[in-house]
């Protein structure tokens, strides 16, 4: 049992070390603060630099400007047929459509 818990602890330390290497920050809560005194939490924080890097690597799209081009009849039909569940606009307000571009950390957005 102690051998198993030792391996688990070693894996946890390796995992946390890799999180730190990737630029994330760890915040540990003390076991004394938990109800049972046995459980503790590790909060993982991602600084802006790390978020920006992954947004760029993953090619995350960000909104630039609301789309002001009126929909054509063909596009309206395709949009209508592609939605299996159509609800009344009074119930669910449609979200605005935006022009998007890939995130760029040099300028902090698209």
């Amino acid at each position: 049992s102690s051998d198993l818990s030792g391996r688990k602890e070693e894996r946890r330390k390796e995992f946390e070390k890799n999180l730190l290497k990737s630029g994330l920050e760890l915040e540990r809560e003390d076991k004394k603060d938990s109800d049972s005194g046995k459980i503790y939490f590790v909060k993982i924080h991602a600084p802006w630099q790390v978020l920006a890097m992954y947004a760029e690597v993953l090619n995350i799209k960000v909104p630039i400007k609301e789309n002001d081009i009126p929909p054509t009849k063909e596009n309206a039909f395709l949009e209508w047929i592609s939605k299996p569940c159509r609800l009344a606009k009074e119930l669910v307000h449609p979200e605005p459509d935006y022009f998007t571009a890939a995130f760029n950390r040099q300028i902090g957005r698209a």
Side-chain angles (χ1 to χ4, degrees), residues 31-107:
K31 287 182 184 182
K32 291 179 236 161
D33 294 337
S34 72
D35 292 337
S36 68
K38 297 177 183 177
I39 298 172
Y40 69 97
F41 292 94
V42 177
K43 297 178 185 176
I44 303 172
H45 302 278
W48 173 253
Q49 296 84 357
V50 175
L51 294 173
M53 179 193 67
Y54 279 104
E56 200 171 67
V57 168
L58 296 171
N59 205 22
I60 302 290
K61 301 288 183 196
V62 292
I64 298 175
K65 179 183 174 191
E66 192 168 341
N67 185 350
D68 57 353
I69 299 172
T72 62
K73 286 183 182 181
E74 298 86 31
N75 289 346
F77 176 73
L78 287 174
E79 187 177 327
W80 180 83
I81 204 158
S82 67
K83 291 186 181 174
C85 181
R86 290 175 273 292
L87 298 172
K89 289 184 180 180
E90 301 83 44
L91 296 175
V92 179
H93 302 289
E95 291 187 19
D97 184 29
Y98 287 94
F99 294 113
T100 62
F103 182 86
N104 182 331
R105 67 182 139 165
Q106 299 301 327
I107 54 177

